[in-house]
Amino acid sequence: LDAIFDEKICDTWQGHSSRLVRSTDLFTFEVAPAFSDSITNLSPGDDVALYPSNVDDTVNIVLNMLIVQDYSLLDALRSRLKNDVDLAKPLSLEQLTTLYDMTPNEQAKVVLNMIVQNASTDQVNPSIERLVLILPPCSVPVEWVWENGPPMDPRFYSIADISPTGRIVSIIQAVYTFKTGQAGTTSRWIRSLNTGDIARAMFSKTDFHLPESDDSPLLLIATGSGIAPFRSFWTSEAKNPMYLFFGCRDQSELPFSSEIAQRENQGRIYPFVAYSRDAEKSMHVEELMCQESDTILSLLHNPKLIVYICGQPAMELSVRKAMISVLAEGNDKYPGLGMVRAVEKMVIMKCTNRLLTQVYGNLQNQNDPSIICWNESTAKVVRVLSRLERIGAPRPRQTIISVNRRKSLVRTLSRRQSITKVVTEGDNWEESFRSVRRLSVMSSDNALLK
């Protein structure tokens, strides 16, 4: 074996992991006929939750190192370890401390005490599969695993393609590795699947959908596997012009390059790609947006524009900062709004569903000044909108509404912004009034209903 490693005939897992970390792959699943109804109502932008399992090699290693009292339950233990406990997820200090109290092995107590004492925010705690290799054999009670082991949570993915007739659902999954170089549970499990293997899944609806109107331009912003819902957009029958701002490391990592090029030639997609590790022109997606400020400004000032952002929380924050900066500075055609009005414009877009985000994870630093400013502006806009709902948003024209049991007749009289009079015909006022669906009354003190 030493000779093989010296001659580099085979590589270590860390070597494989360093390559896998740059792998973003498309996986396609066929839904069983009995569950075909579950995808009938799905739309581009919806999610699927996958329930992964630990790979067999990992399960066998962990099982052999546990303290097992009743070996007649070995098959049941193996099944629970495979499906119910995330063996690759780093443990918390509380979980490690509980193991210290439960283990009967004194040497294991020494090692666990060292791990807990030397823990820091920059260091990743060991997982169960790592821990059984560090500790002496048979020092981890199986009871501790059931009571304290990380549960196998579902992993949510944006659907990259849907075919209800063929019962096909596709997702994009990027290999996730911890700082230790260890690949995550799902990254290993999904790449261990063979044709015909069964995966447990659950579908969920989202608000991350295409608009009803085909003439609304779409600004699509993503990095890495965040491109998944956008692929479901351009593979659908939507005719909206799509402006794609995407970030990845280099050109070799650009997913669906041939599809994007084909639709660019058709005039359906206008792609802008930022390569963060390009030797000649390295930049991130938010820097590319600032560089293409004229395009971004013309889109943001279009009242029909809808912005979609999908990716990590830090990316979403950076992209939002970039759009606010571009709006604040402006150009020759679109004067700058200034920082306060730029933030408020973006908040209004968010509150009116013209800025849609699909973000996985949480920001570590909630004290970022831009977050504080955004939250304050959101509170202000929500306050104003709720007040308008309470008093009734002013109409663009003065209107007289005539209502009876059979018909509703609306006549425009002038351009003054209020509803001044409601005239009823017939003796059933309640029934007539129910047919006025969009009437807003400014206040009970104003005698608007006569």
Side-chain angles (χ1 to χ4, degrees), residues 118-187:
N118 296 324
S120 66
T121 55
D122 298 331
Q123 181 179 328
V124 178
N125 292 332
S127 60
I128 292 179
E129 67 172 337
R130 177 67 177 159
L131 200 61
V132 296
L133 301 178
I134 298 174
L135 301 179
C138 298
S139 56
V140 179
V142 70
E143 293 78 12
W144 173 85
V145 176
W146 304 147
E147 295 173 9
N148 298 276
M152 185 67 79
D153 296 323
R155 273 63 164 177
F156 287 86
Y157 297 94
S158 298
I159 295 176
D161 191 22
I162 311 171
S163 175
T165 55
R167 308 195 313 276
I168 297 298
V169 173
S170 298
I171 68 164
I172 297 174
Q173 205 273 345
V175 172
Y176 178 82
T177 58
F178 299 102
K179 294 179 181 179
T180 57
Q182 178 189 36
T185 300
T186 311
S187 299

Side-chain angles (χ1 to χ4, degrees), residues 91-118:
L91 299 167
S92 67
L93 291 180
E94 182 180 357
Q95 291 167 325
L96 292 170
T97 303
T98 305
L99 177 58
Y100 176 89
D101 295 332
M102 293 181 65
T103 181
N105 191 300
E106 293 300 323
Q107 292 180 341
K109 288 182 180 290
V110 174
V111 176
L112 288 169
N113 184 60
M114 291 176 59
I115 294 174
V116 172
Q117 294 297 326
N118 296 324

Side-chain angles (χ1 to χ4, degrees), residues 59-307:
V59 172
N60 291 333
I61 291 173
V62 172
L63 188 57
N64 290 334
M65 302 296 284
L66 296 180
I67 302 175
V68 180
Q69 302 292 343
D70 189 353
Y71 284 91
S72 65
L73 302 177
L74 209 57
D75 290 340
L77 294 176
R78 180 178 284 106
S79 177
R80 287 191 65 180
L81 282 176
K82 183 177 179 65
N83 299 309
D84 299 340
V85 183
D86 193 340
L87 300 177
K89 186 175 182 179
L91 299 167
S92 67
L93 291 180
E94 182 180 357
Q95 291 167 325
L96 292 170
T97 303
T98 305
L99 177 58
Y100 176 89
D101 295 332
M102 293 181 65
T103 181
N105 191 300
E106 293 300 323
Q107 292 180 341
K109 288 182 180 290
V110 174
V111 176
L112 288 169
N113 184 60
M114 291 176 59
I115 294 174
V116 172
Q117 294 297 326
N118 296 324
S120 66
T121 55
D122 298 331
Q123 181 179 328
V124 178
N125 292 332
S127 60
I128 292 179
E129 67 172 337
R130 177 67 177 159
L131 200 61
V132 296
L133 301 178
I134 298 174
L135 301 179
C138 298
S139 56
V140 179
V142 70
E143 293 78 12
W144 173 85
V145 176
W146 304 147
E147 295 173 9
N148 298 276
M152 185 67 79
D153 296 323
R155 273 63 164 177
F156 287 86
Y157 297 94
S158 298
I159 295 176
D161 191 22
I162 311 171
S163 175
T165 55
R167 308 195 313 276
I168 297 298
V169 173
S170 298
I171 68 164
I172 297 174
Q173 205 273 345
V175 172
Y176 178 82
T177 58
F178 299 102
K179 294 179 181 179
T180 57
Q182 178 189 36
T185 300
T186 311
S187 299
R188 284 183 278 177
W189 165 75
I190 200 169
R191 286 164 179 80
S192 72
L193 295 176
N194 295 313
T195 303
D197 287 347
I198 296 176
R200 297 176 298 162
M202 177 181 65
F203 300 102
S204 62
K205 300 286 289 182
T206 70
D207 296 327
F208 206 74
H209 293 157
L210 287 163
E212 296 180 0
S213 174
D214 285 338
D215 61 350
S216 295
L218 312 180
L219 177 55
L220 315 176
I221 309 167
T223 56
S225 58
I227 200 173
F230 303 149
R231 182 180 187 259
S232 69
F233 286 2
W234 73 61
T235 56
S236 69
E237 298 179 355
K239 299 178 181 178
N240 305 74
M242 303 181 188
Y243 294 80
L244 174 64
F245 281 78
F246 182 72
C248 56
R249 293 188 180 188
D250 52 50
Q251 193 168 1
S252 65
E253 291 189 14
L254 176 62
F256 313 115
S257 55
S258 58
E259 292 184 14
I260 294 173
Q262 179 185 5
R263 284 160 177 78
E264 182 182 13
N265 294 334
Q266 297 170 351
R268 293 187 57 197
I269 295 181
Y270 304 92
F272 301 83
V273 184
Y275 300 113
S276 60
R277 296 194 179 180
D278 189 295
E280 298 180 358
K281 201 172 184 180
S282 173
M283 67 172 60
H284 292 89
V285 66
E286 66 272 13
E287 296 171 328
L288 177 61
M289 293 176 67
C290 291
Q291 180 177 296
E292 299 291 338
S293 58
D294 290 344
T295 301
I296 297 295
L297 272 173
S298 65
L299 289 171
L300 290 177
H301 283 279
N302 186 330
K304 295 183 177 181
L305 172 73
I306 301 181
V307 181

